[in-house]
Each structure stands twice: as C-alpha cells, then as structure tokens.
Amino acid sequence: MANSEDVELDGATVLAKSLKSQGVEYMFGIVGVPVIEVAMAAQAEGIKYIGMRNEQAASYAASAIGYMTGRPAVCLVVSGPGLVHAFAGMSNAMENCWPLIVVGGSCDAYQEGMGGFQEYPQVSSAKSFCKYSARPSSIDRIPFFVEKAVRQSIYGRPGCSYIDLPGDMITQKIPDSRIRMLKKCPPAPLILADPVCVKQAVDVLSAAKRPLVVVGKGAAYSQSENSIKEFITSWNLPFLPTPMGKGVLPDNHPLCVSSARSKALQEADVILLLGARLNWILHFGLPPRFHKDVQIIQVDIFPEELGNNVGKWLGLVGNINSVVQQLLDETNRRTCKPTIISSDPWWKLLQQKMSTNQTTFEEMVSDTSTPLNYYAALSEIQKAIPKDSIIVNEGANTMDIGRVMLLNTLPRHRLDAGTFGTMGVGLGFAVAAAIWCRDHAPGKRVVCVQGDSAFGFSGMEIETLQRYNLPIVLIILNNSGISFGIDQDTWTSMESAGDMTLLSPPTSLKPNTHYEKIMEAFGGRGYFVNNIEELRRSLTEAVQMKDQSSLINVSINPMAQRKPQNFFWLTKSKM
C-alpha cells in the first residue's frame, strides 16, 4: 500500500528522472500528442531539450552527440509518422555504430487494435533499425528499461535503442515509493585481444616491407588517439585516416599519407586496420584498390566484422585503445624495435606520389577564375576557419573534395555522411555540435560545408539555429545540382523550349538560387559569393561573428568535378 506521504509521479517524470540518472544531457525532437509532457519533464530534470523542425534532423543530431561523447542522447518523437521519420537517424546510427536512444509515444494501450490515433506497430517495426526495442510493462519498470536501453547502446558494437511509451502510461501516476531508480550504467568494459594474436600481429608488422595503418572512425569514437599516436610514431608508420578518422592524428602530421591514398592502398603489403571496416569506403579490401596479397591486421570490437571480404587476415578483438596499448607493450618488450625509416623505398614511393598529387592540387587551387571550382573555394575556407573547428561536411563533390581539402587536427571534429552515405545529416549534426560546444568547449566554432542538394534536405533547421542562438558558419557550395548542374543560360533556354519535367536533367537544381535569403529571413547573416575576393571577405566576417549564424552561398561552376583519378571513390564508376 502507498504511504500517505508518497508523492505521485507520472510516467513522463519517471522517464525523465531515469534518463537523467543515466547521464543523458540532451534530448532532440518534435513534440505533439502524446509526448509534450515528456519534453517538459525532461527540462524539469535538467535535460536540455532542443526542438527541431524534422524528426530526421532530430535523430541525426542525437546520434552525433553519441559519437562525440560516447554516451547516448535522446531523440523524442510522436507516434506513427514521427517514429517512421526517425528511422532514418536510427539506421544511420546503426550503420555508423553510434549510441542513440529514441523515445516514441504511441496511442493509448487500451486503444490498440481499434484504429487509435497514429496507431502503428512501433516496437516490432523499430527492431529492424536498432539493437534493442521494447515497451515498459508498467511505470515502475521504466527505470529498468531505460538503463537497459543505455547499456545496449554503448556496449559491444554501439548502436540505437528504442523505448515505446503509450500515451496513457505517460500521464498515469503512481506513488514514488514504488519506483526504484538504477545506478548510472558504467562505460563499456574494456576488452583485451588474445596475447598470442598480439604477438603474431607485431611479428607480421615487423616483417612488412610496405606497412600502412588505416585509422577509422571507430578509433576516433574509442578516444584512443594518444595510444595510436604513440604506436604510429614509435614505428614511424605511414597512416591513412578514413573520412571520420581524420584528426585522430592531425591531417598535417608528417606520417599522414592521405594525398597518396590510392598508391598507399594499392601497394601496402600489410595493413593495420584500426576501427575501420572493409566496406565500400575502403573498397572492400579487394584488388585493384588493394594489393592482391595484402595481409590485414584488423582491430575491432565486433568479432563478426573480422576478415570480412578478404582472405588473408589476423583479427584482434577488443577495445581499440586497449589493443593498441597491447601492441605497444609487446613492441617495447622486444630488444630490436622495428622502425620504418624515411630512406626506405616504401617511404620514398609514397613521398614521390604525395609530391606529384600536391602539384596537381596546387594547380587547381590556383585557378580562381569564375565560376569557382571546388578546390579554390575549399582552400579559402580551410585558410579562414579556426584550426580546432568542428567541421560538418556533406554533399557529393563538396564532401569528396572536402575530406582532402578541409584539414582536421583533433579527433571527433569531422562529421559527414558516414558509412551509410546519408545525405541531409548536415544541419542536424551542426546543431548538435554547436549545442555541445556551448556547454563543453565555449568558443569552439562549428563550420558546416554542404552542397546545395544536401542543404535542401534540412534547410529549415536554420530556424533552429537562430532560435537557440547557435553561431554556426554555414557554407553552401552551390553548383545548382546533384553532383553537377547546368548554368543559367541553358536553364532559360530549356524553360522556353517546353515541359521542364521532360527536359530538365534529373541531376539539376534551379541555378543561382539565393539560399542565403533563408538565413536572413530568420535574422542571421547571409552572403552570396561569386568570386574569390567576395569569398574571402565573407569568410572573414562570418568567422568573427560569435553571436549569430551566417550562411555563405558560394556559386560554383555547375560542371566542376574532382581531379582526374585512375579509380573512383566507389568501386563502381560514376556517371
């Protein structure tokens, strides 16, 4: 029986208290029936609620917090369509292996099967997009399910958890004496690799003639930058970061061979793979992008990932930081420590290729004719932004060229389309990064560089930036299309010729669209840029503004492309 002095708590409050006890700092979402009370209860408990304009952007934002911090944020959605929209961010979090919790309201339990408002089989449907999907059986069980959802999201291979709450459970009240809060779920336990395999790995690396380290975003997520730096520099190993592995060691580090990426992958005889998967981003580890006899040493938390797509491999299962420390310890135990010296043929080959590619880059950067090309524009952006900026980068050419031109010196400071190749993540990621910086790294700038097509997926989140006074520098490289567009004269002639639904190329967008006007509509600063001098002036002003967001709309040659290559980023050739 309830004590007469008991305070009654509703389900929304119990959920908020449970999330707070698990260390949740942020909740992103869109409210409506039946979850308005959940957002209000979260704020009452000190959880910061950020109202977004689309559930996809909200789910992307919450997942970015998970990547940056190693602890999940919450995406709060309404029932039915709200959850369906969030499936985008849930699947993106799963593919990227980022912790995320989605909380979805649902119709009252007694209305199930009756055609209730936005009734949908949410728990079963969410299972395809997450590691854990459940509905608490009663209000007093909410703390148990929240703790389990957090644990599932961060243990093993990180991912998404879903908690479903019927509307009547959100508003129903029970005495607080019936509620037992659980302790905060501790970080995932550290897992060490088999010592025998560690010794074998050092033996293989010691015998290598052309070794290479590939640093993935799993290495960034695991916060193993210090041990990786010590290991790579002690061996003098060339390393290659994946797009979101950039910054684990600085991109301008003398051992970084990003500008000889293709040659390094093609010629390496041993590759140490740290927190990266042999998927499309790394061309599946197969020829012709990799040497046919390459030996892979793969470090991953997920045993099932080991040896995927390749035949010659050695797996080290464990936490990346711990396993790299094991490799260091094994190296230090040996009287003869292997080191790759700069005079070795391998280093000479890589340095020659880097020098050749650098000359090509400099030629493209030096071409500042109008309309601008990507290399010239991105070079100016790189020179103007603070070196410790968090860079959000998405688009086709904008992202592909941006991963080379926009340098990172710190880990977890690049957010892009990731493993799932998801377009539309940019502004959600930028909102999350700016909110986190304001609380944990005041003064750090967030710079979001997008293509015009990518911007279109979530452009209304500009209102979110302004509502929360987030001083993001947003740059659109506007080529009037998806990968490539058409110029104004061609567009005008097509319009006069007939039906644009039959004549306009599927890749084209309207030329010379003034996206900066959207920023101005919400009180921010907008710039339209046609040439290199205008770009320099606008970047200088935008970076100096610390109290409002700005949008720089840069007109790019519609047919500008990447530099010619023997191999495309994908194994399939692009059109």
Side-chain angles (χ1 to χ4, degrees):
M1 260 180 92
N3 189 302
S4 59
E5 296 181 359
D6 278 348
V7 175
E8 289 201 326
L9 302 178
D10 58 24
T13 300
V14 175
L15 174 68
K17 287 181 176 293
S18 301
L19 292 170
K20 185 68 174 179
S21 72
Q22 293 303 321
V24 170
E25 288 188 76
Y26 303 103
M27 178 181 286
F28 301 83
I30 296 179
V31 296
V33 176
V35 298
I36 296 173
E37 293 86 352
V38 172
M40 295 173 69
Q43 289 179 314
E45 292 300 321
I47 296 173
K48 298 192 175 185
Y49 175 79
I50 301 93
M52 307 289 284
R53 300 302 298 265
N54 182 283
E55 287 94 354
Q56 289 186 19
S59 59
Y60 297 145
S63 69
I65 293 290
Y67 171 63
M68 294 170 65
T69 69
R71 301 288 299 194
V74 169
C75 174
L76 177 67
V77 297
V78 299
S79 49
L83 176 61
V84 171
H85 293 167
F87 286 163
M90 295 167 70
S91 56
N92 193 62
M94 288 296 291
E95 292 299 319
N96 280 328
C97 309
W98 294 353
L100 167 67
I101 294 178
V102 175
V103 174
S106 56
C107 71
D108 290 356
Y110 80 91
Q111 294 179 352
E112 289 182 348
M114 299 172 64
F117 176 65
Q118 296 183 331
E119 183 180 351
Y120 190 70
Q122 296 181 184
V123 175
S124 58
S125 297
K127 286 181 179 178
S128 298
F129 303 93
C130 58
K131 292 176 66 178
Y132 176 72
S133 177
R135 172 191 287 185
S137 53
S138 59
I139 293 178
D140 59 297
R141 293 285 286 165
I142 288 175
F144 168 84
F145 282 88
V146 168
E147 191 275 343
K148 189 166 186 178
V150 170
R151 183 155 35 91
Q152 289 276 349
S153 75
I154 61 176
Y155 280 27
R157 173 183 274 183
C160 179
S161 294
Y162 174 67
I163 299 175
D164 190 77
L165 286 181
D168 45 4
M169 185 180 292
I170 290 172
T171 56
Q172 180 186 349
K173 295 182 178 182
I174 64 170
D176 64 354
S177 60
R178 290 177 51 188
I179 300 165
R180 184 174 67 89
M181 290 293 168
L182 277 68
K183 293 181 179 178
K184 180 180 177 180
C185 177
L190 299 181
I191 300 173
L192 297 176
D194 183 342
V196 174
C197 293
V198 172
K199 292 179 181 178
Q200 290 174 347
V202 175
D203 288 340
V204 170
L205 274 173
S206 299
K209 301 297 183 185
R210 301 181 304 279
L212 177 69
V213 180
V214 174
V215 181
K217 72 173 176 289
Y221 173 82
S222 66
Q223 302 186 17
S224 53
E225 51 267 20
N226 291 335
S227 60
I228 290 176
K229 179 180 179 180
E230 184 179 353
F231 181 78
I232 286 177
T233 54
S234 68
W235 284 64
N236 209 42
L237 289 168
F239 74 91
L240 177 69
T242 64
M244 270 192 278
K246 284 159 57 69
V248 172
L249 274 75
D251 284 338
N252 57 4
H253 194 285
L255 298 178
C256 181
V257 294
S258 287
S259 56
R261 181 182 190 273
S262 294
K263 179 61 71 174
L265 291 177
Q266 280 179 281
E267 300 294 339
D269 62 350
V270 174
I271 294 179
L272 175 61
L273 201 63
L274 300 176
R277 289 169 279 178
L278 292 171
N279 54 22
W280 67 275
I281 292 178
L282 287 175
H283 319 287
F284 313 107
L286 299 175
R289 292 309 302 259
F290 284 69
H291 194 281
K292 62 182 179 64
D293 296 320
V294 66
Q295 164 81 60
I296 302 292
I297 303 171
Q298 190 169 2
V299 181
D300 203 286
I301 195 69
F302 193 61
E304 288 85 340
E305 193 61 48
L306 300 178
N308 188 36
N309 297 325
V310 293
K312 195 174 180 182
W313 59 276
L314 172 64
L316 301 177
V317 180
N319 173 272
I320 292 173
N321 193 46
S322 301
V323 175
V324 173
Q325 190 59 54
Q326 286 182 280
L327 292 169
L328 270 169
D329 292 343
E330 177 61 28
T331 302
N332 292 333
R333 274 194 289 269
R334 303 191 177 196
T335 54
C336 182
K337 297 179 183 178
T339 302
I340 308 299
I341 58 176
S342 57
S343 61
D344 286 346
W346 178 225
W347 258 120
K348 287 184 176 180
L349 176 67
L350 293 175
Q351 287 167 346
Q352 180 181 16
K353 186 62 177 177
M354 286 191 287
S355 177
T356 301
N357 285 344
Q358 185 61 35
T359 300
T360 304
F361 283 136
E362 289 172 358
E363 289 174 356
M364 301 186 78
V365 167
S366 65
D367 178 10
T368 57
S369 60
T370 56
L372 292 169
N373 69 66
Y374 287 96
Y375 292 88
L378 287 164
S379 176
E380 290 299 323
I381 294 168
Q382 169 60 29
K383 287 186 286 187
I385 63 177
K387 304 310 177 192
D388 66 344
S389 297
I390 293 180
I391 299 172
V392 181
N393 190 202
E394 68 164 335
N397 292 313
T398 300
M399 183 176 68
D400 283 352
I401 302 171
R403 68 183 172 85
V404 177
M405 300 298 296
L406 300 175
L407 304 183
N408 290 96
T409 59
L410 296 171
R412 298 169 296 282
H413 276 56
R414 177 180 169 88
L415 297 163
D416 65 25
T419 306
F420 212 25
T422 308
M423 290 295 103
V425 296
L427 281 171
F429 285 176
V431 168
I435 288 286
W436 182 86
C437 286
R438 189 162 66 187
D439 291 342
H440 299 281
K444 185 181 289 291
R445 301 310 303 271
V446 176
V447 179
C448 181
V449 185
Q450 300 178 284
D452 49 330
S453 172
F455 171 76
F457 282 86
S458 54
M460 282 302 294
E461 297 302 336
I462 284 180
E463 188 273 334
T464 308
L465 303 182
Q466 292 301 100
R467 187 168 10 114
Y468 294 107
N469 300 314
L470 303 176
I472 293 171
V473 179
L474 174 58
I475 304 164
I476 298 176
L477 297 189
N478 184 356
N479 73 340
S480 304
I482 303 170
S483 293
F484 53 89
I486 55 179
D487 60 33
Q488 183 64 60
D489 290 343
T490 306
W491 181 270
T492 301
S493 65
M494 286 195 307
E495 279 187 314
S496 62
D499 188 346
M500 290 293 281
T501 62
L502 298 175
L503 298 176
S504 175
T507 60
S508 64
L509 299 171
K510 193 175 187 305
N512 298 326
T513 299
H514 284 262
Y515 297 108
E516 76 283 358
K517 299 296 185 183
I518 304 175
M519 179 64 81
E520 293 174 358
F522 292 109
R525 185 68 183 270
Y527 304 86
F528 187 77
V529 168
N530 275 308
N531 58 56
I532 207 72
E533 288 301 325
E534 291 175 352
L535 178 56
R536 287 171 183 162
R537 286 197 300 269
S538 62
L539 283 166
T540 299
E541 288 185 23
V543 169
Q544 289 175 350
M545 285 190 294
K546 304 294 178 67
D547 58 349
Q548 64 175 324
S549 289
S550 56
L551 191 158
I552 305 173
N553 185 11
V554 186
S555 181
I556 296 291
N557 186 334
M559 298 306 294
Q561 296 289 308
R562 301 174 62 195
K563 74 178 183 68
Q565 302 181 77
N566 293 327
F567 297 96
F568 288 102
W569 177 241
L570 299 170
T571 353
K572 257 183 175 174
S573 61
K574 295 179 180 178
M575 291 177 62

